[in-house]
Amino acid sequence: MNSNIEKKFSPIEVQLEAAKQYYWCTCGRSQSQPFCDGSHKGTEFTPRPFSVDANRTAWLCTCKKTGNPPFCDGTHNKL
């Protein structure tokens, strides 16, 4: 795999706070990956809201092909 493509699709490690509402980017246009910054406006995409029950570290998907959105499931390794 091309290292530029690999880097583009690599998951991003984030610290998530319990009960806080987050919005995961589904379009891939956000400059605030993996979170939505509104760049989807005018497209068919909408951000995916999510929260967690406890403070934790998570790896969020950037390839947008995960089977467990917004969390990375390794699908980027098959692209």
Side-chain angles (χ1 to χ4, degrees):
M1 180 183 287
N2 179 313
S3 63
N4 289 336
I5 292 172
E6 197 172 290
K7 181 178 171 106
K8 178 181 176 182
F9 290 153
S10 294
I12 296 175
E13 182 179 21
V14 296
Q15 299 298 318
L16 302 174
E17 296 176 32
K20 182 175 177 180
Q21 187 75 17
Y22 295 96
Y23 294 89
W24 177 64
C25 170
T26 61
C27 72
R29 294 180 173 193
S30 176
Q31 296 300 306
S32 300
Q33 289 293 334
F35 302 107
C36 177
D37 69 0
S39 294
H40 65 277
K41 292 193 184 348
T43 72
E44 71 276 9
F45 294 96
T46 57
R48 182 182 185 109
F50 75 99
S51 61
V52 293
D53 294 335
N55 292 348
R56 67 182 215 148
T57 300
W59 290 89
L60 299 187
C61 174
T62 61
C63 77
K64 313 306 176 190
K65 304 293 184 191
T66 181
N68 186 28
F71 305 100
C72 177
D73 68 359
T75 298
H76 64 279
N77 291 315
K78 299 174 188 168
L79 298 178

